Amino acid sequence: MHFKLIIVFVDDNKTDKVLKAAREVGATGATIINNARGEGIKQQKTFLGLNLDTQRDVLLFLVEEHLSRKIIEEVSRAGLFDEEPGSGIALQIDVEDAIGVLHQAKKITQSIETEL
């Protein structure tokens, strides 16, 4: 099996919605890193030195490559990434090797067979 790592940066109030959407199209799990900060084209405003920006979460999905495009598109749709500027971004990178995912191989294989 070949894997992709989907990395999603999303407002923390959309994390659950994005997770649910990813699971519905084949993601078998995720790692969530809370309270990340990011800055886009415009610098964030501060008030007495405190940031007024919303908190972000980083979601990491290790997925089989045949499912990756569908998952990333669904994540984008659920998070409204193209409709609301600053709501989040998603990207995927190739994974050369992965260990510790054999327990998920049966489920992943079934999902791929359904897709193909």
Side-chain angles (χ1 to χ4, degrees):
M1 276 188 197
H2 294 100
F3 292 95
K4 299 275 188 175
L5 178 65
I6 298 176
I7 305 169
V8 181
F9 302 91
V10 64
D11 287 340
D12 64 349
N13 62 344
K14 294 183 179 181
T15 298
D16 291 336
K17 186 176 182 179
V18 167
L19 279 169
K20 182 179 179 197
R23 282 192 173 276
E24 288 175 354
V25 291
T28 56
T31 298
I32 303 165
I33 302 169
N34 298 104
N35 300 322
R37 275 191 37 198
E39 193 169 288
I41 293 174
K42 297 179 183 178
Q43 285 187 317
Q44 299 298 321
K45 296 179 182 179
T46 62
F47 178 73
L48 299 176
L50 300 173
N51 288 330
L52 299 177
D53 55 341
T54 61
Q55 288 297 318
R56 300 204 178 262
D57 290 337
V58 179
L59 288 71
L60 306 172
F61 298 96
L62 184 64
V63 302
E64 209 285 327
E65 69 179 340
H66 293 93
L67 302 173
S68 65
R69 186 64 197 176
K70 190 173 197 176
I71 292 169
I72 201 169
E73 287 174 355
E74 189 61 21
V75 161
S76 176
R77 186 199 61 72
L80 303 173
F81 293 176
D82 289 331
E83 290 81 13
E84 297 176 1
S87 61
I89 60 170
L91 57 104
Q92 66 178 348
I93 57 176
D94 290 324
V95 174
E96 187 173 324
D97 199 5
I99 297 175
V101 293
L102 277 180
H103 62 282
Q104 295 184 20
K106 187 175 182 180
K107 171 115 174 96
I108 292 169
T109 303
Q110 291 171 347
S111 294
I112 294 169
E113 288 173 353
T114 304
E115 289 298 313
L116 301 176

